Amino acid sequence: NPENADANFKLGETYHEMNSLTNAQQFYQKAIELDPAYYQAYFNLGLIEQKKKKYDEAIALYNRSLDVKPGEAASYYQIGKAYEEKGDQNSAIEYYSKAIAENPNYTNAYINLGSLYSANKMYDKAIDQFRNATTNNPKSFDAHFNLANALRDQGSVDEALRHYQQAVRQNPWFSSAHYNMGNVLKDM
């Protein structure tokens, strides 16, 4: 039914999955036209704009999704990612923190926040975020690998080794984890 918001949204998703972004946008916009409170359509339009590196447009769409569904952690997270990709680390930190405030179990928000802190050599803050991520998801390769890197950079090589070992158990084919673990063993 062309006048059904859900049907248009589903068509948009299908085109989105096929990477036919123009068609996906058309159907997401039609879903919004039929139902102006269609959160996921705004959100997915934001994903498309972000993929096209149109960060301001993506952020505006994520904010519109928050107008429809206030406090949605996924929207805050994507705004954080858009700001990070745009090079605005302070805003990225702000929005990753908002995502975590709305959903304290948002593992990827902790990882991205920790990565920003680590890149700025704020290792204590980075380690705190990566520890939160490993608590939320003990099997997260990214959380253990990034925690190990931050611990190594801070000089806590024994603990770094334990987290590299955990990372290797989660993803034995990731050569950087083996390489970094070898360097830690060599330096012990």
Side-chain angles (χ1 to χ4, degrees), residues 111-128:
I111 292 170
N112 288 19
L113 186 55
S115 295
L116 285 172
Y117 287 139
S118 192
N120 288 296
K121 300 186 184 333
M122 300 168 72
Y123 298 119
D124 289 338
K125 287 184 173 189
I127 289 166
D128 286 343

Side-chain angles (χ1 to χ4, degrees), residues 47-164:
L47 292 174
I48 290 172
E49 294 300 330
Q50 189 169 349
K51 185 173 187 169
K52 295 183 339 188
K53 300 187 184 319
K54 294 183 176 181
Y55 301 117
D56 292 333
E57 290 87 343
I59 290 165
L61 285 159
Y62 296 135
N63 278 317
R64 184 66 183 104
S65 76
L66 285 166
D67 291 341
V68 171
K69 193 173 181 182
E72 181 59 40
S75 293
Y76 288 128
Y77 175 78
Q78 284 304 136
I79 292 171
K81 280 188 72 166
Y83 276 123
E84 183 176 0
E85 291 169 13
K86 186 178 170 180
D88 184 345
Q89 291 186 354
N90 290 332
S91 294
I93 288 169
E94 175 188 349
Y95 279 91
Y96 288 142
S97 298
K98 286 182 178 186
I100 291 166
E102 291 296 331
N103 179 359
N105 296 316
Y106 209 134
T107 301
N108 287 340
Y110 287 114
I111 292 170
N112 288 19
L113 186 55
S115 295
L116 285 172
Y117 287 139
S118 192
N120 288 296
K121 300 186 184 333
M122 300 168 72
Y123 298 119
D124 289 338
K125 287 184 173 189
I127 289 166
D128 286 343
Q129 299 308 317
F130 295 136
R131 284 189 201 284
N132 288 332
T134 61
T135 299
N136 285 335
N137 185 355
K139 294 186 177 187
S140 169
F141 165 80
D142 290 326
H144 285 286
F145 181 70
N146 284 297
L147 176 56
N149 287 339
L151 288 163
R152 177 204 60 208
D153 292 344
Q154 188 191 52
S156 302
V157 292
D158 290 335
E159 192 177 358
L161 178 60
R162 286 194 301 277
H163 287 283
Y164 282 130

Side-chain angles (χ1 to χ4, degrees), residues 172-185:
W173 302 108
F174 191 72
S175 61
S176 293
H178 290 279
Y179 179 80
N180 290 1
M181 183 168 59
N183 281 334
V184 165
L185 286 167

